[in-house]
Amino acid sequence: MKIQSHYITIRSAYNEADLSRRRLDLLRQITIPCLAAQSPDVVLSVVISDSDPCLTERKATFESTGLRCQFIERPPAALPVTMANVIGCDEWKIPAGVPTLVMRLDDDDAIVSDYCQATRDYAEAHAEVGTVYMWPNGYLKLRDKTGEWRLRQMRHETNMFCTLLTNTGESPQDETHHDIKQRRPVKFVSKRRGWLWLRHSNTCSPEAVARCWKGRFDPFPKEADNWAIKLTGIPDNE
């Protein structure tokens, strides 16, 4: 099956100035380098807040990838307050009626440089509309009890870096990924470690901060660590 288009859907909607700035810094440091390395025909579909204090900078940051960007601006009242009501709130402007790959990506995570191309090649060879394509292996970056950043290998067979083959304009952003195997067929694209999941406290979910991080915000190095750029070269024994 020839796949007509390939979208990455991203939520990057913030209204509070400090959180918006912290998330913009993470976007630039972690996510933008990997997006700039993807296939040039990929389209970014990004939900943003029309009240974001960093709105102009955020748009320009996504556009710096060189990929075509479409922004869905929402007023604060139309945006989810917590992760509990995040499902099904957006219209992603995904074309219907043609086979389309739609990936979900958080604006503080990273994927390997050939993630989209490899997924598309595999999907075209193993095409079934309604199938979710996964890379089950990746890395988790988080702080340990001493406050040091650690990189861990991780296998997650229903991770958030999922790509849906659809012809109805839907996005995997509009459903939970943890139980996706119960609703859709899932196929694994590669055994390689394909993604970097960053765990930190600069989250849009107040409940997550209170539960996991006790209200503490994680400092990040001023200079870019280049985690995303290094992702493809991280040895499995690291």
Side-chain angles (χ1 to χ4, degrees):
M1 177 188 293
K2 183 66 175 176
I3 294 173
Q4 300 298 317
S5 52
H6 198 154
Y7 285 73
I8 298 178
T9 56
I10 302 171
R11 286 191 175 91
S12 193
Y14 307 98
N15 300 310
E16 194 273 320
D18 289 343
L19 178 59
S20 178
R21 173 57 59 186
R22 289 194 300 271
R23 294 293 300 217
L24 183 59
D25 289 343
L26 284 173
L27 174 67
R28 288 169 170 162
Q29 184 174 353
I30 304 300
T31 310
I32 291 302
C34 79
L35 290 176
Q38 300 306 310
S39 307
D41 58 346
V42 169
V43 179
L44 303 183
S45 186
V46 187
V47 168
I48 54 178
S49 170
D50 63 7
S51 298
D52 185 352
C54 301
L55 181 60
T56 300
E57 289 180 81
R58 194 173 305 278
K59 284 184 173 181
T61 298
F62 279 108
E63 290 169 342
S64 72
T65 62
L67 302 176
R68 181 163 72 86
C69 299
Q70 57 181 29
F71 297 103
I72 300 99
E73 292 192 29
R74 289 298 188 90
L79 294 167
V81 178
T82 71
M83 296 306 291
N85 62 348
V86 78
I87 305 302
C89 67
D90 303 315
E91 297 176 0
W92 293 98
K93 299 182 180 178
I94 306 299
V98 294
T100 301
L101 283 174
V102 185
M103 182 194 179
R104 59 154 292 160
L105 183 66
D106 291 342
D107 64 351
D108 56 353
D109 293 331
I111 51 178
V112 292
S113 59
D114 64 338
Y115 194 101
C116 289
Q117 187 61 58
T119 300
R120 184 168 184 163
D121 291 344
Y122 184 90
E124 288 189 336
H126 306 82
E128 182 181 346
V129 172
T131 295
V132 169
Y133 298 92
M134 290 273 191
W135 294 53
N137 299 312
Y139 293 96
L140 174 65
K141 189 94 173 181
L142 77 170
R143 283 184 179 275
D144 63 17
K145 293 181 179 179
T146 70
E148 295 296 321
W149 285 101
R150 301 296 182 188
L151 187 70
R152 297 179 181 176
Q153 298 178 18
M154 186 178 190
R155 183 173 178 87
H156 189 346
E157 295 188 355
T158 55
N159 63 70
M160 69 288 289
F161 304 89
C162 50
T163 303
L164 173 66
L165 179 57
T166 179
N167 56 13
T168 62
E170 56 192 328
S171 166
Q173 289 272 13
D174 296 330
E175 53 187 293
T176 55
H177 60 87
H178 299 287
D179 56 354
I180 203 162
K181 280 186 173 182
Q182 300 173 22
R183 299 186 306 275
R184 298 182 182 276
V186 174
K187 293 183 178 180
F188 294 151
V189 174
S190 174
K191 295 180 180 180
R192 291 163 47 207
R193 299 189 184 277
W195 41 265
L196 175 70
W197 177 19
L198 183 65
R199 290 291 304 274
H200 59 93
S201 66
N202 298 283
T203 173
C204 60
S205 170
E207 285 80 0
V209 171
R211 183 176 65 251
C212 301
W213 304 98
K214 299 181 177 58
R216 172 180 57 82
F217 291 109
D218 290 328
F220 284 84
K222 295 296 184 182
E223 68 282 359
D225 192 346
N226 290 329
W227 296 333
I229 296 173
K230 295 176 183 176
L231 184 55
T232 53
I234 297 174
D236 284 355
N237 61 358
E238 183 166 331

